[in-house]
């Protein structure tokens, strides 16, 4: 691929064009598309999983999901908006899988270390991931609030982009984000 072709493939219009060609079965277009969006997908995953190897695993899962489910992109909005949602969901899935596989350390084996607060400490990377824990908690009873809230408050997408992506009226999206924030606030404060 020449420099001009690559630059064109990384513009929003170029990415949309590659995605349409990939949907039509063009394998070369799919490979170019995945290469063009990988840095973006990795950044999305890093926003959820700050430990680089975890983010890279989630990014790989996101790219596989994109390749396998490219036909589900409706073409209503930008492909990158759809890709954003797939990457967020892949990162959250990777986090859940790693959390479920984590084995707590034996406090007797290493001495008298205090156990970290699971609401604010990642079982994977030892970093603060209380937002993910809050989203997990909210999702149990109010799953409709989680995706719009993450897309708005973590990834900074506009209300209009979110409404287009999830296929809901703009007023509904704003209300879901407002209610999601109200539910998340006390969970993020911790037990101070």
């Amino acid at each position: 691929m020449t420099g001009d072709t690559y630059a064109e493939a990384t513009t929003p219009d170029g990415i949309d064009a590659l995605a349409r060609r990939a949907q039509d079965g063009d394998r070369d277009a799919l490979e170019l598309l995945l290469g063009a969006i990988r840095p973006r997908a990795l950044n999305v995953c890093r926003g959820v999983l700050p430990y680089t190897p975890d983010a890279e695993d989630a990014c790989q899962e996101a790219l596989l999901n994109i390749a396998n489910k490219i036909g589900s992109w409706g073409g209503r909005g930008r492909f990158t908006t759809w890709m954003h949602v797939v990457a967020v969901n892949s990162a959250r899935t990777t986090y859940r899988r790693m959390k479920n596989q984590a084995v707590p350390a034996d406090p007797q084996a290493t001495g008298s270390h205090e156990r970290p607060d699971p609401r604010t400490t990642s079982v994977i990377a030892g970093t603060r991931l209380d937002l993910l824990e809050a989203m997990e908690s909210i999702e149990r009873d109010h799953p409709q609030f989680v995706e719009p809230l993450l897309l708005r408050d973590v990834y900074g997408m506009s209300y209009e982009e979110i409404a287009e992506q999830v296929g809901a009226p703009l007023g509904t999206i704003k209300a879901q984000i407002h209610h999601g924030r109200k539910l998340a606030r006390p969970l993020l404060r911790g037990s101070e």
Side-chain angles (χ1 to χ4, degrees), residues 29 70-71 104 106 148 157:
I70 194 160
D106 180 5
M157 292 176 69

Side-chain angles (χ1 to χ4, degrees), residues 74-89:
R76 293 184 320 244
R78 289 283 184 197
F79 181 80
T80 52
T81 303
W82 179 81
M83 180 237 40
H84 217 98
V85 173
V86 173
V88 166
N89 289 336

